[in-house]
Amino acid sequence: MVRLISDFDGVVVDLSERYYHVYRWRLTQLAQPGQAIAPLTKTEFWALKRQKVSQRELGLRSGLTEEQLPEFKQLRDDHAHRLENMVHDRLIEGSLEALTAAKTWGWEVMTVTMRRHSELNQALALQPELRAVFPGDRRFCIPDAAERTQDIDQKPLLLGETLAQLPPREATWMVGDTEADIRAAQRHRIPVVAVLSGIRDRPRLEAHQPDFIVANLWEAVQLIRETVAR
């Protein structure tokens, strides 16, 4: 049996509209009378996010002053993960179909995500069809009380804790959209497929040398199926 470990954000769910909504809201909070604020389009904003452009640079490109940048970043930290903003998240096209297909093939399907418990529960409330593909004992996330630290450091720890709770499987694969997912899989010697549907672009993913890079989760499960059948 194949064990499929999927990240949640950027693999199953698209965050781009939430992040863009919070970005535009922050500009309205900081704009002073007469200030020439020039919001990026969503396409521009998301391309820069996927390139890991800093909050400082996003603010400057949008017309903020140096003095406004600390609050611009703080508003992002305070609001980007609020439950009320998660109504903007959407299923990535083909992700539910990919997970459902994997389960019909007899795969063990789970998610290992840096979302907090309440954040994951909110997503499952908004997208209830995901409850069947990720049953309660196959959802691994972060306690609400945990501090937000660097995902690239915390994700390998979470994956290690997850694997320690499960019986070993010879064919275990991971699908993720960030350097944190890639590093976590590599640390635990799991082949990893990076997808381009999330918050990192191809150059950022290639720099961390995943085993494969594909467009989305649907392509990832097809690739894994073909690979394990060889």
Side-chain angles (χ1 to χ4, degrees), residues 125-144:
L126 294 170
Q127 309 289 347
E129 55 269 60
L130 292 175
R131 292 181 179 275
V133 292
F134 296 133
D137 63 348
R138 289 299 177 266
R139 305 170 195 161
F140 300 91
C141 55
I142 302 293
D144 283 348

Side-chain angles (χ1 to χ4, degrees), residues 88-181:
H88 299 285
D89 297 350
R90 295 290 181 268
L91 278 175
I92 293 171
E93 184 177 358
S95 61
L96 179 61
E97 292 80 1
L99 295 167
T100 302
K103 289 182 77 75
T104 65
W105 300 334
W107 293 12
E108 180 188 16
V109 176
M110 65 186 66
T111 186
V112 177
T113 171
M114 296 303 296
R115 282 196 182 219
R116 274 49 187 167
H117 284 291
S118 59
E119 296 167 356
L120 184 57
N121 287 339
Q122 174 81 340
L124 296 173
L126 294 170
Q127 309 289 347
E129 55 269 60
L130 292 175
R131 292 181 179 275
V133 292
F134 296 133
D137 63 348
R138 289 299 177 266
R139 305 170 195 161
F140 300 91
C141 55
I142 302 293
D144 283 348
E147 280 188 44
R148 292 194 183 276
T149 59
Q150 292 292 321
D151 286 3
I152 201 164
D153 298 320
Q154 198 168 11
K155 190 66 176 275
L157 297 176
L158 177 61
L159 181 59
E161 292 169 1
T162 299
L163 294 172
Q165 300 176 49
L166 302 170
R169 294 233 186 273
E170 187 171 340
T172 297
W173 286 72
M174 186 162 180
V175 180
D177 71 311
T178 69
E179 60 274 17
D181 299 317

Side-chain angles (χ1 to χ4, degrees), residues 199-213:
I199 203 167
R200 294 290 179 264
D201 61 11
R202 182 178 287 274
R204 251 55 34 191
L205 295 173
E206 286 178 341
H208 293 273
Q209 300 182 319
D211 295 279
F212 303 95
I213 300 177

